Amino acid sequence: RVRPTDHPPALDPAAGQDAADVDRQVKASLAEGGSLYTLDTQRLADLRPDLVITRDICGVCSIDAATVRTVAR
């Protein structure tokens, strides 16, 4: 059974599609201390999962595990 992804990227896809535009958005978000991903906390609560799988390899590649851990508790 496929579960929805509850952490869409916070980048604005309408702001540009080439690598330079994405790089600018990433750098600006990280410089402001922001996250590149959002977590739909209400949807996660509604789903009531008994298992949440995430990874914490890179702040650009995925949502950080600490955020997911905090919300999942």
Side-chain angles (χ1 to χ4, degrees), residues 11-68:
L11 300 179
D12 179 10
Q17 298 297 319
D18 69 17
D21 290 328
V22 172
D23 185 58
R24 279 191 286 278
Q25 289 182 70
V26 167
K27 286 179 179 174
S29 180
L30 295 177
E32 294 171 359
S35 176
L36 299 178
Y37 296 89
T38 59
L39 183 61
D40 187 339
T41 57
Q42 185 58 55
R43 186 169 185 182
L44 188 62
D46 292 345
L47 289 170
R48 298 177 47 191
D50 57 0
L51 176 66
V52 176
I53 299 172
T54 189
R55 62 183 185 171
D56 196 13
I57 297 171
C58 159
V60 175
C61 302
S62 63
I63 193 166
D64 65 287
T67 299
V68 176

